Amino acid sequence: MKIMVFMLFALALMQAPRITYGEDFGYDGNTGPTFWSERYRECAGKHQSPININVLHVKQVTLPDITFIGFDDSIDNVHVTNNGHTVLIEVRNEPHPRVRGGPLEGDYVFSQMHFHWGDNDTFGSEDKINHRSFPMELHMVFFKEEYKSVSEAVKHQDGLTVLAFFYELDRHFHPAYDDITSALTNVTEPYTSVVMSHPFSFLNILPYDLKRYFTYRGSLTTPPCSEVVIWLDFEQPIRLTHEQV
Ligand SMILES: [Zn+2]
């Protein structure tokens, strides 16, 4: 058992998240967001995420349909990792799911997804809609295929797209989140990783309506805050129970 734990730990270190996040940031006190720009100049930029989306100021446009490729595939070997800041879900087997269409030019390949949450259900999302916070937000990160990797993509203005989904509370349990929440009990320590016990499908954890979304040009929401992200914030929230959040 001890050897097993060590191997998982080593695996997590070797296959650290492919986005090079800053390591020395937090969300409170003197490592909180207002201090990020002291070490990461871009965090003081003009196109920083997160933002509040004021629905009255949104321009309604018609864009080509988004094509979600591989989202209903049943994917094996999905890793859940505690990277010290968040919970990452990564796919190790090729081909990775991808997206195209909407405001995007070219194909974007899946890199990882992760969550943002708060201390309680009154806040936790990064973007807000009409100043409303949601208890949690899912970010699915994709890099532009022509740049070949996330590390190259973050050098370009159109390098990444993030599909963002908000969560709302519901009395009804969402069964597709079962595997994620049970994996969490095995990664309570930073830099630990587990493989999901069942095949995983992206579509199962998403809301029904994938046609209506807000889109804008912004940044990574953590250091180094690079302004390289085409954001797609989906309007329809995903509904989970309080316990699941
Ligand atoms: Zn994020």
Side-chain angles (χ1 to χ4, degrees):
M1 190 59 201
K2 264 184 185 147
I3 290 166
M4 196 61 200
V5 168
F6 172 74
M7 279 173 61
L8 289 173
F9 181 67
L11 196 70
L13 285 179
M14 272 163 25
Q15 302 184 322
R18 274 157 274 174
I19 286 189
T20 10
Y21 285 115
E23 287 304 316
D24 48 354
F25 70 90
Y27 288 93
D28 304 299
N30 60 10
T31 61
T34 46
F35 296 92
W36 290 354
S37 63
E38 289 177 6
R39 293 212 48 175
Y40 302 96
R41 207 163 38 89
E42 278 198 90
C43 298
K46 288 201 184 333
H47 302 280
Q48 286 291 295
S49 301
I51 62 166
N52 172 53
I53 296 169
N54 183 332
V55 173
L56 290 177
H57 298 161
V58 168
K59 189 168 122 195
Q60 191 141 346
V61 293
T62 303
L63 293 168
D65 279 349
I66 300 176
T67 311
F68 299 91
I69 300 149
F71 275 52
D72 50 2
D73 288 357
S74 190
I75 306 170
D76 290 314
N77 201 17
V78 174
H79 290 238
V80 179
T81 302
N82 176 342
N83 74 349
H85 292 296
T86 184
V87 181
L88 282 180
I89 299 180
E90 295 171 291
V91 172
R92 295 285 155 82
N93 294 354
E94 302 282 347
H96 287 186
R98 56 175 64 214
V99 284
R100 70 168 76 110
L104 308 173
E105 279 179 30
D107 277 29
Y108 284 73
V109 179
F110 178 74
S111 167
Q112 46 96 341
M113 64 176 105
H114 60 268
F115 300 90
H116 297 267
W117 63 92
D119 292 338
N120 63 59
D121 292 337
T122 65
F123 67 102
S125 66
E126 296 239 290
D127 282 346
K128 295 175 187 173
I129 309 283
N130 292 342
H131 296 289
R132 176 186 175 197
S133 288
F134 298 82
M136 191 163 73
E137 185 173 334
L138 168 64
H139 287 164
M140 288 183 162
V141 182
F142 296 74
F143 65 91
K144 192 168 185 173
E145 185 174 38
E146 69 173 86
Y147 302 134
K148 305 273 198 298
S149 67
V150 169
S151 47
E152 182 57 33
V154 293
K155 299 174 189 162
H156 302 267
Q157 275 192 344
D158 60 349
L160 302 180
T161 186
V162 179
L163 312 189
F165 298 90
F166 299 109
Y167 290 86
E168 222 169 42
L169 295 187
D170 197 288
R171 284 183 300 122
H172 299 287
F173 179 79
H174 192 320
Y177 277 77
D178 237 6
D179 281 340
I180 300 178
T181 51
S182 23
L184 293 184
T185 59
N186 296 313
V187 293
T188 53
E189 293 298 319
Y191 317 114
T192 52
S193 191
V194 288
V195 178
M196 265 189 204
S197 45
H198 300 287
F200 181 81
S201 149
F202 282 22
L203 212 54
N204 283 348
I205 63 161
L206 299 184
Y208 175 74
D209 181 359
L210 296 174
K211 290 213 181 284
R212 288 174 59 83
Y213 55 88
F214 304 102
T215 182
Y216 72 97
R217 295 271 184 151
S219 71
L220 300 177
T221 62
T222 52
C225 310
S226 319
E227 295 181 340
V228 296
V229 183
I230 301 169
W231 283 92
L232 275 72
D233 288 18
F234 288 80
E235 191 180 45
Q236 187 177 56
I238 303 163
R239 305 180 68 89
L240 298 183
T241 64
H242 166 78
E243 287 72 24
Q244 288 184 298
V245 169

